[in-house]
Amino acid sequence: VVMYLRFGWMLGNVGLTISLVIVTLGTAITFLTGLSISALATNMRMKGGGAYFMLSRSFGVEAGAAMGLPLALAQAIGVSFYIAGFSEALVNSNLPLVGSWDPRYVGFVTLAILAFVSTVSADIALTSQYFIMGAIAFSLFSFFMGSSFTGISSSPSQVSASLGFWPVFAVFFPAVTGILSGLGMSGDLKNPSRSIPLGTLSAILTGYVIYMAIPIVLSSYVDDVNVLKTDSMIFAKCAKWTFPILLGVWAATLSSAVGSS
């Protein structure tokens, strides 16, 4: 959600240098968490339950339950966050018919479908990850092969004042918290003690490289701060092909929602 819809907004508010600092700081926090997850995963026999299983076995049932309740709430809020991003991207995609749809109804229908898929079989969710990863990779290729934005700039009167470091950091930080999605599938992994550390740390480092490259490339495409602040679909408008970006953001948001459900 953040990568596709809010990176331009972040760049417009704090500039390139601070954007790179925000990405680095957020990733550093996640990397330290990833090291802790890896250490725990290699020192216990992982079963289903993901982060809650880890907490309850490390701190005891009482402490695990106390931490598990807010964790479950956070996961539920995370699903709504991803679905809201999917609805926004779909309605603002300029595709026929969907522009007139109410994002709330789109989100409700999406939630019902994802709940059905997650209830029926986790294998469906796991199998879909390969197609989702392919869609995201294709969308990134389209973006990095893109060109400068030549659209109409927003009026200065329509643009709000720039936000500071911490508000922008708060908006960006959910972009680096997706490592719990893989951890949540611990019960479906053949070898969790190997797959969780390898997958988690690889995802963090790969994400960091991509997140550092996007602001640099986007700043070369768009030099108008007003456009960056106001156009949530600027990522798609700078890409070589628009549809892969739309497909990528839909895939990424739905993947994250499934992983948190």
Side-chain angles (χ1 to χ4, degrees):
V1 177
V2 175
M3 184 180 77
Y4 288 103
L5 303 181
R6 295 294 181 265
F7 254 87
W9 175 86
M10 178 176 72
L11 190 60
N13 274 281
V14 297
L16 177 59
T17 301
I18 300 301
S19 294
L20 298 180
V21 172
I22 288 175
V23 171
T24 300
L25 178 60
T27 305
I29 295 172
T30 306
F31 183 73
L32 294 176
T33 306
L35 290 178
S36 299
I37 290 173
S38 301
L40 290 172
T42 54
N43 284 282
M44 65 173 63
R45 185 174 180 180
M46 286 294 298
K47 298 180 181 179
Y52 172 72
F53 178 87
M54 232 175 226
L55 292 171
S56 62
R57 295 305 183 277
S58 300
F59 298 101
V61 177
E62 294 81 2
M67 297 179 187
L69 290 175
L71 178 64
L73 178 61
Q75 293 287 86
I77 294 174
V79 172
S80 64
F81 172 77
Y82 300 129
I83 291 177
F86 170 78
S87 302
E88 178 183 333
L90 181 63
V91 173
N92 294 334
S93 63
N94 293 323
L95 295 176
L97 300 177
V98 299
S100 61
W101 291 356
D102 190 324
R104 295 173 297 177
Y105 296 141
V106 174
F108 179 78
V109 173
T110 304
L111 177 61
I113 294 173
L114 292 180
F116 175 77
V117 171
S118 299
T119 303
V120 170
S121 174
D123 292 336
I124 299 177
L126 287 172
T127 302
S128 66
Q129 300 300 314
Y130 296 103
F131 300 100
I132 290 169
M133 186 171 65
I136 294 173
F138 187 34
S139 70
L140 290 173
F141 175 78
S142 176
F143 172 74
F144 289 121
M145 292 294 292
S147 58
S148 299
F149 176 71
T150 57
I152 301 173
S153 174
S154 302
S155 170
S157 61
Q158 299 174 334
V159 182
S160 59
S162 296
L163 297 176
F165 179 91
W166 291 113
V168 175
F169 178 82
V171 172
F172 166 79
F173 191 70
V176 294
T177 59
I179 57 172
L180 290 180
S181 297
L183 183 60
M185 297 179 181
S186 59
D188 301 292
L189 298 173
K190 292 181 179 179
N191 187 0
S193 61
R194 179 181 182 277
S195 299
I196 289 177
L198 180 61
T200 300
L201 296 179
S202 298
I204 293 171
L205 295 176
T206 302
Y208 179 64
V209 172
I210 294 173
Y211 285 172
M212 290 292 281
I214 287 175
I216 295 173
V217 175
L218 189 58
S219 65
S220 68
Y221 289 164
V222 186
D223 56 7
D224 192 326
V225 175
N226 295 340
V227 171
L228 291 170
K229 284 185 180 180
T230 58
D231 194 341
S232 62
M233 298 302 292
I234 190 64
F235 198 97
K237 294 177 180 178
C238 292
K240 187 174 183 63
W241 306 289
T242 301
F243 186 73
I245 303 298
L246 300 177
L247 189 62
V249 66
W250 298 339
T253 50
L254 294 179
S255 169
S256 299
V258 170
S260 299
S261 60

